[in-house]
Every structure is written in structure tokens, then in C-alpha cells.
Amino acid sequence: MPENRPLRVAVIGSGPAGIYASDALAKSDVNVSVDIFERMPAPFGLIRYGVAPDHPRIKGIIKSLHRVLDKPGVRLFGHVNVGEDVTHDELKEFYDAVIYATGATDDKSLGFPGAEHTIGAGQFVGFYDANPHFKDSWNLDAESVAVIGVGNVALDIARILAKTGDELRVTEIPDNVYESLKENKAKEVHVFGRRGPAQAKFTPLELKELNYSDTIEVVVNPEDIQYDETSEEARRNSKITDMVCNLLEQYAIADPTDAPHKLYLHFFESPVEVKTDENGQVTSFVTERTELTGDGRVRGTGKLNEWPVQAVYRAVGYKSDPVHSLPWDENSNVLPNVGGRVLTEGPTADGIAGVPGTADPEAEKRERIPGVYTTGWVRRGPVGLIGNTKGDANEAVANLLEDHANGIGFNPSKPEEESVDQWLAEKGIEHTTWEGWYALDKYERELGEAEGRERKKVREIADMVKYSSTERSE
């Protein structure tokens, strides 16, 4: 590569994973030019389309992401779908390397009888977060609802279902989301976990926030407050686990209230079956009572409980979609990789995060694809927090730069920045830009201000493209 030109890197995905990778590149000692490709007209991925609208604190992460995209040498190409609008092979003409950070939006499935009648968490999140690739309305006729899962996504879904539409109207939701939420008939929301309080994956703040609404009473059965030796050890070793357990204990001893909506947190209940009527409508959810075995695990007791509900949501984890034309690890639903370097075949050397024994010890010996890297959930699965995402990005970028120093990567024939703009124009792709995001951001804030709120989200793709016009904002 000529010394007088920058290292050219394409980052696919503008969520936290992609932006942190871009930041690591921009902070390096190497002269780097980064182009971020995003299939949505607007940036920020999971932060815009995966965080519940009543969580402005978490959305504050956007401020730090903003600073990265403001940096010289980092460009945004929105409304460009890599794999459809442009191919991986085409990118090799313009870049020395590509980092895939495409995230995870699909839902993992379950295998018990009637599981096909459950609703994936991602589908509902996509609706209430106004993702244009998901439904624009939602049937909320169920008066009693079950949610399977004891992570923060399960709490988000439960909280949204337990709140009133008017409580949520003050957030950034557009009119179509409000129109569905205001018709919500849910009076009881039941969250089910197979194990005990010490094994729950909630964060303390998410758990505490359930009690912030005057319309919700959080109910925990005192019989569910059980710990074995391993659970007690987990509490001693983790401040977060101990705080979660303390909060659940407080809910268990709290006095009943007259709040119109009840949100039940059930532990030691393992899914067995979803029952339906002759029309396929859910009539009940059957669970088996479990008990701790002394090592933090549980076993079934044979006692079945049947809960009369009319809808069942599953919040048991997201999964990534295969990346166009690249190898795929079918077991873990990730790009096979070693330290973010993509391999020619699966499974990944990283394994399933947090699951011992799932890594492939032979992965290090397999061939890597020069110039192709990955970070975030499409690298390791949908687990971990922002700290994990930053660590992933830093490792992948460090390996990319090491490879570059050793002459490993693509050999682009058109590495000039202007070549990309010309190429997209020739293909007839109307893309949005970082400057265009400022225009759309301004418009959404104006919409919100007119109704006394901070922002009102634009949902439709055509409208996002339209209001991303920098000429319109001038």
C-alpha cells in the first residue's frame, strides 16, 4: 500500500459495536479512513431500535457515539444494505479491510409443545421501537400475558405491557405505536424463570424501575426466595447479584397496593407447554415447578402449574442473521472467528460466550479470511454489556492493524474516498450521511417539542431519507 494514502476500512453496522470499532481505528497511530455502512437511514442500531422508549438514561449512550461520528476520517453511509445493495466482493475494490458488526435482531426458538404459538421478544421490541422492518401495529387484547425469560429484555417487555399507553406517550414513540399501546388490555403480566433469584440476569436498575409506575404492583411469591450453597456464593462474589436478590426480597415482603396492573415475577417455573383452542388462540401456559440441586442448577419436581393467559412472549435471547456470502457458524449463529478474525468455516474459537466447552480448540489452526473481521453480537452472540462490546472492538481492531502491518488484507483498486461516493451514485443508491442524521435529529426534536416531549421518532424509511436531506435543514 502506498505510504501517502490512509488505511481504508469499511465497518458494516452503526450500532455500538460498529462505532466502537470505528473509534478504536480513529484513535490508533495509523492513518485510517473509516466508512460506516448502515442499512437503516438513521444510525445507532440497537440504541435506537432495541432499547425501550422509557429508558432515556440508556439512550444517553448516543452522546458518546455522536462524538465518534463527529471525528474527521469517519463517514456514515446510511440506507445502504451490504449484501443486497452492495456485495462483500464489491467492497474489496475500495477497502483494505472490512469489519462486520451487524448485531442480532432475530429471536431464538424454544422446543416445548406449543412453542410455535409464542411471540419473539424481538418482534415486539421492533414494533414499539418503531423499526420500519417490523409490524406497525400490535394486537394487545390479552388481559393476562406470560413472558418467558429473566433478563432485561423480558423486564422491558413486561414493563411496556404493564404500563398504560398514556404513560408511554411522553416518550419518543410515534403515533402508530401509541395507537396500539393505548388499546392494551393487559391487567396481569407474568414473568417466568426456570431457576432462582440468584440466577436471574436482571440488572438492579432495571428491576428497581418496575416499581416507578403508579399503575404497576410488582409481586414476588415469598416461596420463590430460595438459595442453595452456590447461590449464596454467587451473592457473596457479585455485588450486582446480591442487589438483585435484595430487591426481589423487598418485592416479596411488600404490602399489596391498589395498582390496576399486576406484574408477577415467578421463579422455579420451567416451560412445559402452551395450550391453544381450536382456532390456535392461546388459552394457558403450563410450567413445571423446579428445585435447586445445590450447585445453582435445578431439577423438575413433577408438579405442574397451569396459568390462564392469552399471549406468551419469549425473551430467551436474540440471534444474528447469516452474513451474505461469508461462512457461518450454525450452532452459535455467529461469524466463525478467532479474536475477531473471520475464519473460513465454523464453529468459532470464541465459543458461546459464558458457556464452557463450546469453543473449538481446533479453530486456531483453521484458515482465516484475509481482511475480514467481526465484532459485537455477530462475533460472540447476544450477551454482555457495553464493556464487552468495547473490548471486542479493541481486540478486532488490534488484530486488523497487526495484519495490515504484515501486509495482510485486500488490495483495493479504488481506495480513494471519492470513489465510494461515485460508485454508489452510479448504482443509483440514495444514501444518507452523518450530516443528514443531524437534519433528521433536528426534525424529530421539532416534532417532539410540538407535543411537549424531547423527541418523536420518524418511523417510515422514505420519511427518514426525506428528512435526512441537509438542504431541508438549511
Side-chain angles (χ1 to χ4, degrees):
M1 187 184 89
E3 294 183 2
N4 60 346
R5 78 163 176 87
L7 169 68
R8 295 279 287 134
V9 180
V11 175
I12 316 305
S14 70
I19 295 179
Y20 289 141
S22 303
D23 190 34
L25 285 164
K27 289 178 177 177
S28 71
D29 295 332
V30 178
N31 181 17
V32 182
S33 170
V34 180
D35 289 344
I36 303 174
F37 289 86
E38 168 59 52
R39 71 169 181 155
M40 291 288 196
F44 306 128
L46 177 71
I47 303 300
R48 181 173 170 92
Y49 292 115
V51 176
D54 57 347
H55 269 334
R57 175 190 59 84
I58 297 177
K59 288 182 180 292
I61 295 171
I62 285 181
K63 292 181 180 178
S64 65
L65 302 183
H66 249 272
R67 289 193 288 270
V68 178
L69 283 161
D70 277 335
K71 291 183 177 182
V74 178
R75 301 192 300 176
L76 174 68
F77 290 88
H79 197 217
V80 180
N81 191 337
V82 174
E84 293 185 10
D85 297 327
V86 302
T87 68
H88 174 76
D89 284 340
E90 286 178 312
L91 292 174
K92 292 161 72 172
E93 297 181 31
F94 302 90
Y95 299 97
D96 297 288
V98 179
I99 301 176
Y100 283 90
T102 49
T105 57
D106 200 3
D107 292 287
K108 291 182 179 178
S109 57
L110 294 170
F112 56 80
E116 68 273 17
H117 297 288
T118 63
I119 304 165
Q123 300 296 311
F124 188 46
V125 172
F127 157 70
Y128 66 59
D129 270 334
N131 186 321
H133 294 290
F134 292 83
K135 289 183 178 180
D136 62 0
S137 62
W138 203 267
N139 184 333
L140 293 168
D141 288 342
E143 293 188 1
S144 186
V145 181
V147 180
I148 305 171
V150 284
N152 286 339
V153 174
L155 288 191
D156 281 348
I157 290 173
R159 190 181 65 254
I160 295 295
L161 289 169
K163 281 187 172 182
T164 66
D166 285 340
E167 283 181 279
L168 293 164
R169 194 175 191 180
V170 299
T171 69
E172 65 183 23
I173 60 172
D175 293 338
N176 70 292
V177 175
Y178 171 70
E179 290 301 319
S180 289
L181 293 178
K182 77 175 183 179
E183 301 299 327
N184 182 16
K185 295 181 174 58
K187 297 178 181 178
E188 294 184 354
V189 180
H190 299 264
V191 179
F192 293 92
R194 186 174 57 87
R195 298 191 291 171
Q199 290 76 43
K201 300 302 181 183
F202 310 135
T203 55
L205 185 57
E206 290 268 359
L207 194 57
K208 189 181 299 184
E209 284 179 346
L210 294 180
N211 206 32
Y212 288 174
S213 170
D214 293 336
T215 70
I216 299 174
E217 177 188 350
V218 183
V219 182
V220 175
N221 187 338
E223 294 183 3
D224 285 355
I225 304 299
Q226 300 179 31
Y227 310 100
D228 59 10
E229 183 177 342
T230 302
S231 301
E232 294 286 5
E233 183 179 358
R235 293 188 67 172
R236 291 191 296 270
N237 293 338
S238 170
K239 183 178 180 181
I240 290 177
T241 299
D242 189 53
M243 290 173 67
V244 166
C245 291
N246 283 329
L247 286 167
L248 292 170
E249 290 166 5
Q250 291 173 29
Y251 283 136
I253 63 174
D255 294 329
T257 72
D258 58 358
H261 303 139
K262 309 298 181 185
L263 199 164
Y264 297 87
L265 299 177
H266 302 282
F267 298 93
F268 303 109
E269 298 289 348
S270 182
V272 171
E273 182 182 5
V274 174
K275 292 186 176 181
T276 60
D277 61 20
E278 62 275 9
N279 297 317
Q281 299 299 310
V282 173
T283 57
S284 66
F285 178 50
V286 181
T287 61
E288 180 184 12
R289 187 70 177 172
T290 64
E291 62 184 8
L292 290 162
T293 59
D295 56 1
R297 301 179 184 181
V298 293
R299 62 186 167 218
T301 64
K303 179 184 178 182
L304 299 181
N305 294 311
E306 187 165 352
W307 312 85
V309 300
Q310 299 83 52
V312 180
Y313 292 77
R314 67 182 190 278
V316 294
Y318 293 137
K319 66 177 183 179
S320 299
D321 292 324
V323 176
H324 178 75
S325 77
L326 290 177
W328 191 248
D329 181 345
E330 296 286 351
N331 293 324
S332 301
N333 290 301
V334 297
L335 283 166
N337 72 92
V338 174
R341 292 179 170 113
V342 174
L343 303 171
T344 54
E345 57 181 333
T348 175
D350 290 349
I352 303 171
V355 182
T358 60
D360 178 11
E362 297 298 312
E364 291 280 358
K365 302 176 184 178
R366 290 206 309 272
E367 184 179 351
R368 300 164 185 172
I369 303 177
V372 185
Y373 305 85
T374 184
T375 188
W377 284 1
V378 74
R379 167 187 166 171
R380 59 181 162 80
V383 292
L385 302 173
I386 291 297
N388 303 96
T389 304
K390 287 184 176 180
D392 280 355
N394 290 336
E395 182 180 33
V397 167
N399 287 333
L400 183 159
L401 295 176
E402 178 184 336
D403 291 346
H404 169 64
N406 291 323
I408 300 172
F410 305 149
N411 184 25
S413 59
K414 304 173 184 177
E416 303 81 11
E417 288 187 354
E418 58 270 20
S419 295
V420 177
D421 300 88
Q422 182 180 350
W423 168 54
L424 294 176
E426 290 173 351
K427 291 176 71 74
I429 297 174
E430 183 183 9
H431 69 274
T432 58
T433 65
W434 180 234
E435 292 75 17
W437 160 251
Y438 273 100
L440 176 60
D441 178 59
K442 177 182 177 182
Y443 179 70
E444 289 187 338
R445 291 180 182 279
E446 289 172 349
L447 288 178
E449 185 178 357
E451 298 181 9
R453 43 186 172 146
E454 182 179 348
R455 175 191 301 275
K456 183 176 179 180
K457 190 180 287 185
V458 173
R459 178 186 184 276
E460 301 301 328
I461 288 177
D463 289 337
M464 281 191 278
V465 173
K466 174 183 177 181
Y467 291 107
S468 294
S469 168
T470 53
E471 289 80 7
R472 180 176 295 275
S473 65
E474 293 174 351

